[in-house]
Amino acid sequence: MTFRATVLTLFPEMFPGVLGHSLAGRALAENAWSLETVQIRDFAEGKHRNVDDTPAGGGAGMVMRADVLARTIDAASPEGDSRPRLLMSPRGRPLNQQRVRELADGDGAVILCGRFEGVDQRVIDARGLEEISVGDYILSGGEPAALVMLDAIIRLLPGVMGNEASGTEESFETGLLEHPHYTRPQEFEGLTIPEVLTSGNHAKIAEWRREEARKLTAERRSDLLPQTSQPVTK
Ligand code: SAH
C-alpha cells in the first residue's frame, strides 16, 4: 500500500512545496506516496469563519479552536482510518530516525499543522493526537515541520531512493554520525584526500570510516553513544 499523507493546514498552498522536487517529487509523480491537503478554514462556521480565538485565562496571541479542528480531523480521518494522527508541536517528542522509520513502515499519517499560539488542549486529548517536534526552537507554524518530517519519511519508502544501500549507512541509522566524505579533485587548496581512501583496501577503508564516525560522534554528540556503565555513587 502506498504511504498516504493528509495534511490539515490553513496554508494548503505550502504543499507539496519542497516535496514537489527531486526524489520526493519524482516519487509523488510516480504514486510511491500520495498527498492530500485539507483547508481547516473550510470547517469553520459563521460569517467570519474563525478558526482561532483569544486564550482562556488571558495572555498574548490566539489559540486554534478545538471544535473546528475536531471537525477537520473527523472529515479527513474517519473512524477506521488506521493512520496515526500527528500534531506538529514544539512540546512533542523530538522526531528521530527510529520514529521516521516506523512511520515510513505504516500506511501514512494525518498531520495537523498548528499556527498562532497553538491548539486547544481538548482536541489533542479528545482525538488522541501524537505531538511531534522537529527541534528545540519555535517555528511560526507547523507546515515547515510537516515538510521536514515528510521528507525524512518519503526517502525511506520502497523504490524512492535509487541506491537502497545509501539509506542504511547514513548518520543515525548506525547510531553514529557519519564519517567525512571526499571526492575529486585529489588536491583542493593544498588539502589532499586521506590516503587510506585511495588505497583500494576495502577492509581498511571500512575500519577507517567506523573509527572516524566513532570519533566524530564522541566529539559532537556523545549522547548518541551507547551508555557506558557509570560507577554507582552514593
Ligand atoms: N506557543 C507555542 C508555539 C506556537 S508556534 C509554544 O510556545 O509552545 C505555532 C505552531 O508552529 C505550533 O502550533 C506548531 O504546530 C508549530 N511549531 C512550532 N515550532 C515547532 C517545532 N519545533 N516542531 C514542530 N512544530 C512546531
Side-chain angles (χ1 to χ4, degrees), residues 88-90 114-118 132-135 137-142 145:
M88 305 320 297
S89 159
R115 281 273 152 183
F116 319 115
E117 289 309 316
I132 293 187
S133 166
V134 294
Y137 43 81
I138 304 293
L139 299 167
S140 52

Side-chain angles (χ1 to χ4, degrees), residues 12-42:
E13 62 279 10
M14 291 186 181
F15 296 84
V18 292
L19 302 178
H21 301 271
S22 189
L23 279 185
R26 202 172 323 130
L28 185 59
E30 290 169 358
N31 300 315
W33 67 289
S34 75
L35 173 69
E36 176 194 18
T37 54
V38 177
Q39 170 56 270
I40 294 167
R41 202 171 296 281
D42 290 348

Side-chain angles (χ1 to χ4, degrees), residues 70-82:
R71 281 196 294 272
T72 314
I73 293 166
D74 294 345
S77 173
E79 230 179 291
D81 187 345
S82 60

